[in-house]
Amino acid sequence: MNTKVIKLDPVFPDRDKLEEAAQILRKGGLVAFPTETVYGLGANALNEEAVKRIFLAKGRPSDNPLIMHIPDAGWVERFTTDVPVQAQRMMEAFWPGPLTIVMHKAAVVPSVITAGLDTVAIRMPSHPVALELIRLAGVPVAAPSANTSGKPSPTTAQHVIDDLMGKVDVILDAGGCYVGLESTVVDATIEPPMILRPGGITPEDLQRELGSLAVDPAMGKKLAEDITPRAPGMKYTHYSPKAEVLIVEGTLDHIVEEIHRRLAVYEAEGKKVGILATDQTCGRYGGAQVISAGNRYQPETIAQNLFAALREFDDRGVDIILAEAVEAKGIGWAVMNRMIKAAGYHIIHCG
Ligand code: TXA
Ligand code: MG
């Protein structure tokens, strides 16, 4: 397949170019597009054949449901059987934005999107390109992250090109994504609503809005521990670069010390080591392969860079990535959730 890459201004996207992509969506084609979280791989959510093509292009297991993207909260009623009060509250507070709400699905939603579940995950993105594209398409757009299944989600068009060139009709390139991690997924079919996946909207923000909030007990647990996550996607090893990832956790000085110690050991074994550091520490590792993920006291900066850094280490061909843990507060919680998955739960505690 010939993939067309179309460059767009992220704030004032050219309408004719967007219309071209919208038409491809309407006709059943695949369009990768930027959202405020990560790039998505979109298809007309009401066209089963088109949705199936998403699973093929990504190599995604068919038991992992997709998020339906809409351009207007008013569309929710068409695709759900009821809108719980707490869902309404969240839509008003956080849409458009990085929040996905799970509700009971209406019959018009094809089961290929929901992987046979009786619920559907819906999100209204805030990125002007995403919003305008979906609005012009005039149909809801099913879109998972636009990466090959299992790889870190794409936060630039180049990441999408690396994974999906030749497998999709169009890639809309409007630069980097602001949040850098996927949306928070909240199940609003239960009371209190439950976070199934941490993401761009923090638990603190949700708590403030909802009063009470639950977290999927399977969160942060290895699948071997035998609790099935309510979001089917959370059971897969996601976000994994080719390199092995080890997270080092502790006080900052102990982290740096432990990374130095391991760096020496692995290098003596002839391994190529990458260090995922922070602005506060990246000067402390001498001549090693170091990437700063951002400012550890502003976790949103780390959220923005994390996936790109993991992909960059792969490009550099490192065998092992030693990653500094950050505080799991605010969006730092989502950062650590992705890091821990990338590391296959391999965490070293020190100090
Ligand atoms: O930020 C995002 O959410 C991005 C952009 C493109 O919008 N999309 C994204 O989609 O991350 P994806 O497919 O990579 O992740 C969707 C997650 C998966 O963990 C999936 O299992 C879960 O949402 N999910 C989808 N429908 C669900 C449902 N009905 N019940 C529970 N979990 C659901
Ligand atoms: Mg994904």
Side-chain angles (χ1 to χ4, degrees):
M1 182 189 284
N2 200 359
T3 302
K4 187 168 179 184
V5 180
I6 301 175
K7 272 205 185 288
L8 285 170
D9 185 277
V11 184
F12 300 107
D14 183 281
R15 205 192 146 97
D16 290 343
K17 290 178 184 166
L18 275 180
E19 179 54 48
E20 180 185 343
Q23 215 170 82
I24 289 169
L25 277 178
R26 273 197 301 275
K27 287 189 187 148
L30 297 186
V31 175
F33 60 95
T35 81
E36 70 279 20
T37 58
V38 300
Y39 273 74
L41 175 57
N44 176 352
L46 303 178
N47 178 332
E48 279 194 50
E49 289 311 310
V51 174
K52 280 185 193 155
R53 245 173 263 140
I54 290 180
F55 286 89
L56 278 179
K58 279 183 59 95
R60 179 178 176 109
S62 60
D63 69 347
N64 191 5
L66 306 177
I67 295 170
M68 186 186 246
H69 295 69
I70 57 173
D72 188 313
W75 286 31
V76 162
E77 281 178 27
R78 283 165 58 195
F79 302 113
T80 58
T81 54
D82 66 307
V83 183
V85 177
Q86 295 288 54
Q88 192 66 46
R89 276 202 149 118
M90 288 189 279
M91 289 175 347
E92 278 162 22
F94 303 113
W95 278 7
L99 178 75
T100 295
I101 306 173
V102 174
M103 287 173 272
H104 286 293
K105 87 176 195 73
V108 290
V109 178
S111 64
V112 58
I113 294 182
T114 63
L117 298 174
D118 61 1
T119 54
V120 59
I122 304 183
R123 159 162 131 81
M124 177 183 176
S126 65
H127 195 296
V129 171
L131 262 188
E132 212 34 45
L133 172 71
I134 304 165
R135 211 189 298 279
L136 288 172
V139 291
V141 173
S145 48
N147 52 293
T148 299
S149 224
K151 287 237 272 175
S153 294
T155 53
T156 67
Q158 187 58 51
H159 297 158
V160 183
I161 291 169
D162 292 343
D163 283 14
L164 297 177
M165 200 66 181
K167 296 181 174 174
V168 304
D169 297 287
V170 172
I171 297 172
L172 296 179
D173 176 357
C177 300
Y178 336 123
V179 178
L181 293 178
E182 300 87 343
S183 62
T184 304
V185 179
V186 177
D187 187 343
T189 66
I190 43 177
E191 189 48 49
M194 182 184 277
I195 300 184
L196 308 188
R197 176 178 75 178
I201 299 290
T202 65
E204 291 86 347
D205 289 340
L206 285 163
Q207 180 78 42
R208 204 173 310 124
E209 204 55 44
L210 297 174
S212 64
L213 182 68
V215 174
D216 188 340
M219 186 99 64
K221 303 232 165 59
K222 271 194 220 178
L223 207 58
E225 292 176 35
D226 220 37
I227 319 176
T228 309
R230 287 174 74 95
M234 295 298 277
K235 71 175 180 280
Y236 296 106
T237 13
H238 265 89
Y239 320 111
S240 315
K242 286 178 227 133
E244 187 185 337
V245 182
L246 292 180
I247 298 174
V248 184
E249 196 178 68
T251 64
L252 204 48
D253 285 338
H254 283 108
I255 289 177
V256 174
E257 208 174 285
E258 179 66 15
I259 288 180
H260 270 289
R261 198 183 67 74
R262 289 189 176 252
L263 177 64
V265 172
Y266 296 132
E267 284 190 336
E269 290 171 1
K271 292 189 175 129
K272 192 166 170 187
V273 182
I275 298 170
L276 185 58
T278 49
D279 294 351
Q280 283 72 22
T281 55
C282 63
R284 295 172 67 179
Y285 297 110
Q289 295 265 356
V290 185
I291 296 177
S292 173
N295 181 338
R296 62 168 48 249
Y297 304 116
Q298 289 170 347
E300 63 280 6
T301 60
I302 300 185
Q304 205 172 51
N305 298 325
L306 176 68
F307 289 146
L310 294 176
R311 282 177 178 258
E312 171 66 22
F313 279 128
D314 271 351
D315 292 344
R316 296 190 194 177
V318 308
D319 304 303
I320 297 186
I321 300 168
L322 296 170
E324 294 180 2
V326 300
E327 195 184 0
K329 254 174 67 183
I331 200 169
W333 184 45
V335 166
M336 285 311 296
N337 172 274
R338 304 306 193 272
M339 267 203 211
I340 288 168
K341 289 195 155 215
Y345 301 90
H346 203 152
I347 307 172
I348 297 145
H349 302 271
C350 55

